[in-house]
């Protein structure tokens, strides 16, 4: 059977049953054929049907990457890693995006991770060697300043890892005493419960936790798959403006952490 | 007015999949108005646990318990509002729901429940 008739048969199958997992094969076949306009809605529909399936997000990432939509591909592959941190394909994809952006060190780290996860992958070692050579030829740039440095964020923005260990910043309690360790531990517990809740209730990956109070509002984000951001603001703060600030800072922290790594 | 009837306006708002009154201590459903596909006991237990975690976070910062908690995912949102008498008002929504309206409903209901 030709590739064309395969695609036609799979298209009929998916039309009959839109929830069929055949979208994975169909989307990939269309992508390989270069029909990205047809592959994209197939991949998007697959993610809508199976929002917690790493393979569905991986397909979407590959289609986005082929379309030259690096930012969207990056988001999709990092989503894959939230569901399956050992997904070698996602590490390879992120390595490719970093390589395409000229970020040799980062590309090398993703590739090394991919090789650890998939040691039998043919050709991966030679790609890794080539990227390592590229990285060696390019001088490393100094680390950018922390997005939590600005004065207006002092005492009200905290970045921790998933275990609550301090990475950057600090939050003060209401008496003005720094409380990064206590807040980090509480934040990690809240994030674990949030992960469990979105998974069991089918809410998709969590992107925001907002706590609104009389005297303070809190916004929580996950700038990368392995970090948590807490931003506090007075209770009089418009929740929308604090949420917008949290989104901006989280986005900056995501890039900053990637650069540091 | 019985609790379930009080929940109806919130449960019938656009995009809302269900609204519940939950016992905070044990995470059990006290009353609920839910679409059939929603697992009420699971929503109740998870919301109560999250509310405790949220309270733990504000406590270490010396702040009172939040009036409202929202957990937003790509496909929907879970909202919880503490009420008197150890109760928690909870709503679960689909993506695209009018969250401002749901917040108003829950906060208004919290004044009347308990």
């Amino acid at each position: 059977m030709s590739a064309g008739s395969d695609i036609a048969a799979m298209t009929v199958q998916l039309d009959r049953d839109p929830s069929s997992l055949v979208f994975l094969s169909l989307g990939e076949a269309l992508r390989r054929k270069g029909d990205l306009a047809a592959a994209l809605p197939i991949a998007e529909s697959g993610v809508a049907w199976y929002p917690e399936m790493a393979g569905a997000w991986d397909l979407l990432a590959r289609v986005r990457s082929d379309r030259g939509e690096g930012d969207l591909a990056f988001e999709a592959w990092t989503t894959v890693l939230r569901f399956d941190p050992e997904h070698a394909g996602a590490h390879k994809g992120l390595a490719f995006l970093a390589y395409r952006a000229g970020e040799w060190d980062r590309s090398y780290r993703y590739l090394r991770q991919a090789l650890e996860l998939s040691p039998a992958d043919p050709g991966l070692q030679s790609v890794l060697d080539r990227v390592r050579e590229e990285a060696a030829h390019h001088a490393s740039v100094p680390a950018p300043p922390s997005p939590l440095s600005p004065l207006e964020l002092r005492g009200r923005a905290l970045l921790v890892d998933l275990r609550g260990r301090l990475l950057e910043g600090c939050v003060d309690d209401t008496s003005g005493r720094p409380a990064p360790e206590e807040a980090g531990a509480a934040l990690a517990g809240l994030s674990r419960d949030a992960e469990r809740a979105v998974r069991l209730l089918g809410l998709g990956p969590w992107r925001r936790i907002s706590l609104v109070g009389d005297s303070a509002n809190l916004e929580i984000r996950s700038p990368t798959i392995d970090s948590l951001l807490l931003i506090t603001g007075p209770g009089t703060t418009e929740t929308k403006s604090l949420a917008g600030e949290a989104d901006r800072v989280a986005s900056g922290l995501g890039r900053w952490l990637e650069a540091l790594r | 007015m019985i609790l379930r009837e009080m929940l109806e306006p919130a449960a019938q708002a656009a995009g809302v999949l269900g609204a519940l009154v939950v016992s905070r201590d044990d995470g059990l459903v006290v009353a609920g108005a839910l679409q059939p596909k929603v697992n009420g006991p699971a929503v109740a237990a998870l919301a109560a646990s999250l509310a405790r975690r949220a309270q733990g976070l504000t406590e270490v910062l010396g702040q009172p318990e939040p009036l409202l908690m929202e957990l937003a995912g790509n496909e929907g949102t879970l909202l919880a509002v503490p009420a008197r008498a150890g109760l928690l008002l909870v709503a679960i929504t689909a993506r695209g729901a009018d969250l401002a309206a749901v917040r108003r409903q829950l906060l208004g209901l919290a004044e009347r429940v308990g």
Side-chain angles (χ1 to χ4, degrees):
Chain A
M1 190 182 279
S2 71
S5 59
D6 273 349
I7 287 173
M10 288 190 285
T11 303
V12 169
Q13 192 180 339
L14 193 61
D15 282 346
R16 281 195 195 126
D17 176 10
S19 69
S20 168
L21 291 174
V22 78
F23 81 87
L24 289 167
S25 309
L26 176 57
E28 180 61 11
L30 289 166
R31 186 188 73 85
R32 284 176 182 270
K33 193 182 155 205
D35 191 350
L36 301 176
L40 182 60
I42 300 289
E44 287 178 326
S45 168
V47 161
W49 276 100
Y50 300 98
E52 296 183 25
M53 182 193 284
W57 285 98
D58 183 44
L59 171 63
L60 181 61
R62 279 180 274 141
V63 174
R64 292 290 192 194
S65 175
D66 285 3
R67 286 166 59 94
E69 297 166 335
D71 286 349
L72 294 172
F74 179 86
E75 277 180 25
W77 266 317
T78 51
T79 303
V80 171
L81 293 180
R82 283 182 73 166
F83 292 121
D84 180 4
E86 299 191 345
H87 195 290
H91 286 283
K92 282 167 65 177
L94 289 166
F96 172 71
L97 293 179
Y99 185 86
R100 198 161 63 182
E103 297 171 359
W104 321 108
D105 286 341
R106 198 152 66 91
S107 179
Y108 174 73
R109 284 191 299 276
Y110 280 127
L111 279 173
R112 198 175 53 190
Q113 185 74 32
L115 188 61
E116 282 174 16
L117 294 168
S118 184
D121 189 321
L124 200 48
Q125 182 64 56
S126 62
V127 174
L128 187 71
D129 291 341
R130 199 162 65 240
V131 172
R132 182 167 45 199
E133 282 176 24
E134 294 267 21
H137 280 106
H138 292 80
S140 57
V141 292
S146 161
L148 300 190
S149 301
L151 201 57
E152 65 269 21
L153 289 174
R154 297 270 166 84
R156 49 179 289 259
L158 175 71
L159 182 72
V160 297
D161 69 12
L162 295 185
R163 291 182 180 179
R165 291 175 299 201
L166 178 64
L167 297 176
E168 185 73 6
C170 185
V171 284
D172 298 341
D173 67 16
T174 48
S175 68
R177 184 184 68 89
E181 288 84 10
E182 301 92 322
L187 198 53
L190 178 59
S191 141
R192 277 194 296 276
D193 270 21
E195 285 287 353
R196 190 163 58 111
V198 293
R199 190 175 69 249
L200 294 176
L201 300 179
L203 297 178
W206 74 266
R207 54 184 172 75
R208 170 177 68 83
I209 302 173
S210 304
L211 307 181
V212 179
D214 269 335
S215 60
N217 293 333
L218 280 64
E219 291 287 342
I220 297 154
R221 301 289 186 274
S222 181
T224 59
I225 57 169
D226 52 3
S227 66
L228 299 165
L229 167 69
L230 167 67
I231 286 203
T232 68
T236 51
T237 308
E238 276 289 316
T239 51
K240 267 189 180 174
S241 74
L242 187 65
E245 181 182 32
D247 288 337
R248 283 192 301 278
V249 173
S251 176
L253 280 169
R255 290 191 297 272
W256 180 71
L257 285 167
E258 288 297 334
L260 286 185
R261 288 167 183 165
Chain B
M1 187 185 282
I2 62 172
L3 281 176
R4 195 181 183 291
E5 288 173 351
M6 293 171 77
L7 288 171
E8 287 294 347
Q12 287 170 1
V16 174
L17 303 174
L20 305 99
V21 178
V22 175
S23 163
R24 299 182 60 177
D25 284 346
D26 49 22
L28 296 177
V29 178
V30 175
L34 302 161
Q35 290 188 9
K37 65 179 179 180
V38 179
N39 182 341
V43 174
L46 293 163
S49 178
L50 274 166
R52 279 193 295 276
R53 293 286 196 182
Q55 186 178 14
L57 176 57
T58 53
E59 258 176 23
V60 300
L61 296 174
Q63 298 165 0
E65 180 178 29
L67 302 173
L68 168 72
M69 185 210 70
E70 283 184 30
L71 167 63
N74 283 348
E75 303 302 321
T77 300
L78 182 69
L79 302 95
V81 170
R84 289 185 291 271
L87 298 176
L88 188 68
L89 305 177
V90 176
I92 183 166
T93 77
R95 181 171 50 180
D98 182 353
L99 293 178
V102 180
R103 281 180 211 122
R104 279 196 302 275
Q105 292 272 4
L106 289 184
L107 290 167
L109 200 52
E111 300 282 315
R112 294 184 283 136
V113 167

